[in-house]
Amino acid sequence: MSGLILILIGAALVNNVVLSQFLGLCPFLGVSKKTETAAGMGAAVLFVITIASAITYAIQVCILDTLDLGYLQTIVFILVIAALVQLIEMFLKKSMPSLYESLGVYLPLITTNCAVLGTAVNNISNGYGFVESIVNGVGVSLGFLIAIVIMAGVRERIEGNDVTESFKGTPIVLITAGLMAMAFMGFSGLI
């Protein structure tokens, strides 16, 4: 049990997928203008990464390893992730059209989000079992959710303040992301 907690904390805070591994930067920077939208994107990524971790582990062990088709891993994992993104896209379009509209092009781009594929591949390469893969997936996506919501909150605060003309827009966002990455380095002593 303590091993699973360490995997969860390590994935969410110590090895944060966005702030220490620099994966998933596209939605992190693109959808973090409003807190509600960022939370919606974080929840969508949480769903996709968690379910993808379980399904890709099962496919790897039951099909790819059994039939010695490990070289198809990346293609198969991308197909699984694309199918999950289509599911979440249909769900949001039907049940939450305002969130669907605000996420815009970034929702289908979860398919090519390297954080999702990276988590699925890392679960296999790190030798995690089925439960460990799911816990790692939850931890990674919680870390993504925490990072994107904090970034959205900071960006909302920046909007109301005077920022030097040369730092407005992307430069202040990148400086903020860098400061957040340094702050998250403080979690490295946790495990």
Side-chain angles (χ1 to χ4, degrees):
M1 185 66 180
S2 63
L4 295 177
I5 293 172
L6 288 177
I7 289 173
L8 183 72
I9 292 173
L13 299 175
V14 177
N15 299 315
N16 186 287
V17 69
V18 175
L19 299 173
S20 74
Q21 298 178 23
F22 306 110
L23 297 174
L25 287 178
C26 179
F28 176 71
L29 297 176
V31 187
S32 60
K33 292 180 181 169
K34 292 184 178 179
T35 307
E36 297 87 25
T37 308
M41 174 58 85
V45 169
L46 176 73
F47 172 79
V48 171
I49 287 180
T50 303
I51 302 298
S53 293
I55 293 174
T56 55
Y57 177 82
I59 289 174
Q60 179 74 36
V61 171
C62 297
I63 298 173
L64 297 179
D65 288 346
T66 305
L67 300 175
D68 198 25
L69 297 172
Y71 59 91
L72 293 175
Q73 181 189 57
T74 304
I75 294 171
V76 171
F77 286 7
I78 288 173
L79 290 175
V80 169
I81 292 165
L84 290 171
V85 170
Q86 287 299 311
L87 275 176
I88 194 82
E89 195 172 348
M90 288 187 304
F91 172 76
L92 289 179
K93 189 174 184 179
K94 191 83 170 174
S95 62
M96 297 181 219
S98 62
L99 179 59
Y100 175 79
E101 292 295 326
S102 63
L103 290 176
V105 70
Y106 292 102
L107 186 59
L109 283 179
I110 292 175
T111 304
T112 58
N113 185 339
C114 45
V116 180
L117 181 61
T119 302
V121 171
N122 283 340
N123 285 339
I124 302 302
S125 64
N126 289 339
Y128 289 153
F130 182 72
V131 174
E132 292 168 324
S133 295
I134 293 173
V135 170
N136 187 50
V138 170
V140 166
S141 50
L142 280 177
F144 181 85
L145 177 67
I146 291 168
I148 196 169
V149 168
I150 290 174
M151 175 60 102
V154 170
R155 287 181 77 173
E156 285 178 352
R157 302 275 302 201
I158 289 173
E159 287 293 319
N161 292 318
D162 288 334
V163 177
T164 306
E165 190 65 36
S166 59
F167 285 113
K168 282 188 177 178
T170 303
I172 193 68
V173 172
L174 293 176
I175 290 170
T176 303
L179 292 173
M180 285 177 58
M182 286 192 290
F184 268 68
M185 286 174 61
F187 291 120
S188 62
L190 281 178
I191 55 174

